[in-house]
Amino acid sequence: MLKFIRSTAMKIIILVLLLAAVIFCWKFPHKLVTAKNIVKAYYYVYKADEQYKNKNLFGAINLYQRALKYYPAHAKGNYNLANIYAVYEDYISALNYYEKAVLYKPKFMNARIALGILLSEKFFEYDRAIKEYDLAIKKAPFQLSIPPLIPIIYNNEEYLKYNKAVAYYNMGLAYKWKSLVYGQEPIEIKMSLQNAVKSYKNSLKYDKDNYETLFNLALALQLLHSNGEAKKVYCKCINMRPFDYDAHYNLAILLREENSFLDAMLELEKAALIVDAESDGYKSRYIYDVLNETSAKLHSQDNYAKLKEELDNSPLNNYEPTFINGKIVASEELDKAMLKNMRTCGACKNFNVQTIQGDNAK
């Protein structure tokens, strides 16, 4: 008897479900068509992604466009199509599809950041770009880890940290470029540069040792005449990448403005050495012109004799190289001396470069 009741109940349930399905299809046929189109769209996006990975961009474009005809609200389809158009420098189309991606998925961080970069770098719409970076950060998904203590299944912490660092960094660049638009309006220039500094420091909270962020922070501080802080950050950059030209040169210009001609000369000599190694004749000639001018100013100082003695005590000036057949032979001792010299700058005398981090760095 119990078996019969169970069997009858199951039949009734199945019959009710079938009846409900028939009524739904009869009352809402458009819903059924929509669901079918969404399935087709996801299939074409899947096939387009394969073409995209295999660098068949023309094939990917056709498949993404076909997918979006069935389901225009597919955020990833819009985003990837925008990326391809950006590669082909069709920036109008790229802008259109990035805007659709964030319209249909407001928390799509990558799309918002890409939209901001495009607005800033190709359309020079800095205010719109800054707004998109801000929205990317504010609308970021919640940090989630499944399971919470053993992040094996899902953990978006690194994704969020990286994207926030990128968003703040590009926001700083937009503010920097915006400062150049104001021309002779010092108040507006200062406000934009202050916002750039704030943005770079926020980026360093999530990526404290990013060289590009640190270098741009130092440059913005230099433009604001915050020389003390700028020198600290430049010295950290030099310690991180001792054979990069830009930090040495910018620091030298800052030191020259402070009449610290000896320290400026030392940095210019390092910049010249790097440029010579890169065989950049035009830049090399310019550096040596600046170096000669700085040297002349150093000679005119009253305490030149003392400064010259300090200059002569440089590690490289006192190193005796090994010659074989008339050529200097590289050695571990020479490499260490050069590396130490390139990483050392007079501006860093009063603090430990290794301890310098972005303000409020985590």
Side-chain angles (χ1 to χ4, degrees):
M1 185 66 179
L2 184 61
K3 186 178 179 181
F4 173 77
I5 292 171
R6 285 179 178 173
S7 176
T8 304
M10 184 59 69
K11 289 178 181 177
I12 292 171
I13 290 169
I14 293 171
L15 185 62
V16 169
L17 290 174
L18 286 172
L19 183 61
V22 170
I23 293 171
F24 179 84
C25 293
W26 176 62
K27 292 285 288 183
F28 308 104
H30 60 286
K31 295 286 186 182
L32 193 62
V33 172
T34 300
K36 183 179 178 182
N37 287 343
I38 291 174
V39 171
K40 285 183 177 179
Y42 272 84
Y43 169 75
Y44 283 121
V45 167
Y46 170 75
K47 299 300 289 184
D49 287 346
E50 288 185 335
Q51 297 298 314
Y52 193 6
K53 289 175 184 176
N54 293 326
K55 299 183 180 179
N56 180 9
L57 300 185
F58 283 114
I61 286 174
N62 291 331
L63 288 166
Y64 282 130
Q65 287 178 336
R66 187 178 297 183
L68 294 174
K69 285 181 181 178
Y70 286 110
Y71 184 47
H74 197 297
K76 185 185 176 186
N78 281 291
Y79 172 66
N80 284 349
L81 189 53
N83 288 338
I84 295 173
Y85 279 124
V87 169
Y88 284 115
E89 299 184 4
D90 182 354
Y91 300 122
I92 299 294
S93 297
L95 180 67
N96 176 44
Y97 285 106
Y98 281 137
E99 288 176 335
K100 287 181 178 178
V102 298
L103 173 66
Y104 296 123
K105 189 177 179 182
K107 294 186 178 182
F108 200 160
M109 284 188 79
N110 287 347
R112 280 206 185 275
I113 292 170
L115 174 58
I117 292 171
L118 190 65
L119 287 167
S120 179
E121 295 186 359
K122 302 303 177 183
F123 293 94
F124 313 111
E125 296 187 27
Y126 303 118
D127 287 326
R128 279 190 66 193
I130 290 165
K131 181 180 178 182
E132 291 302 329
Y133 298 136
D134 189 51
L135 286 171
I137 295 160
K138 288 181 177 177
K139 291 182 177 291
F142 289 110
Q143 185 173 315
L144 183 62
S145 174
I146 303 174
L149 298 178
I150 311 174
I152 297 174
I153 300 175
Y154 180 80
N155 187 350
N156 66 350
E157 181 181 0
E158 290 303 315
Y159 164 82
L160 291 175
K161 284 176 63 177
Y162 174 79
N163 277 304
K164 286 180 179 179
V166 170
Y168 276 123
Y169 169 72
N170 282 286
M171 186 185 294
L173 293 181
Y175 275 121
K176 181 184 75 174
W177 291 116
K178 185 179 174 182
S179 72
L180 301 178
V181 173
Y182 288 113
Q184 302 299 318
E185 299 180 42
I187 295 176
E188 297 294 342
I189 292 172
K190 184 177 180 181
M191 286 180 62
S192 293
L193 288 172
Q194 286 173 338
N195 283 324
V197 167
K198 183 179 178 182
S199 299
Y200 294 136
K201 288 183 177 181
N202 280 329
S203 180
L204 291 169
K205 291 179 183 179
Y206 302 100
D207 188 5
K208 66 182 180 180
D209 291 321
N210 186 288
Y211 178 86
E212 297 300 330
T213 308
L214 286 162
F215 177 80
N216 279 281
L217 171 60
L219 178 58
L221 289 165
Q222 184 176 1
L223 293 171
L224 282 168
H225 304 291
S226 299
N227 290 358
E229 195 174 357
K231 283 189 283 189
K232 289 182 180 181
V233 184
Y234 275 134
C235 284
K236 181 171 175 67
C237 291
I238 289 168
N239 189 261
M240 290 173 67
R241 296 188 188 176
F243 294 100
D244 272 12
Y245 155 85
D246 298 288
H248 288 291
Y249 178 76
N250 283 13
L251 178 58
I253 298 303
L254 188 155
L255 292 166
R256 261 180 36 129
E257 291 173 355
E258 294 185 335
N259 296 327
S260 300
F261 298 117
L262 174 62
D263 289 334
M265 265 193 69
L266 292 171
E267 293 307 313
L268 285 167
E269 285 175 351
K270 294 169 193 173
L273 182 65
I274 294 165
V275 171
D276 284 344
E278 294 173 352
S279 301
D280 189 334
Y282 176 79
K283 192 182 287 184
S284 182
R285 187 171 69 176
Y286 175 77
I287 287 289
Y288 280 108
D289 286 343
V290 178
L291 183 57
N292 289 334
E293 183 185 340
T294 306
S295 178
K297 291 185 176 181
L298 177 64
H299 281 69
S300 67
Q301 287 191 311
D302 295 335
N303 59 341
Y304 171 68
K306 182 179 178 182
L307 293 173
K308 185 178 183 301
E309 182 182 351
E310 189 175 339
L311 184 63
D312 291 339
N313 289 330
S314 167
L316 283 184
N317 287 340
N318 289 293
Y319 176 75
E320 293 294 333
T322 302
F323 289 90
I324 296 180
N325 297 327
K327 294 182 179 179
I328 295 177
V329 178
S331 66
E332 185 178 350
E333 186 180 352
L334 176 60
D335 290 344
K336 287 180 179 179
M338 287 187 67
L339 185 60
K340 181 180 179 182
N341 184 62
M342 295 298 286
R343 278 183 167 159
T344 304
C345 60
C348 307
K349 291 173 183 174
N350 298 322
F351 52 87
N352 182 0
V353 175
Q354 300 291 347
T355 63
I356 301 171
Q357 297 177 351
D359 284 15
N360 303 319
K362 289 184 178 179

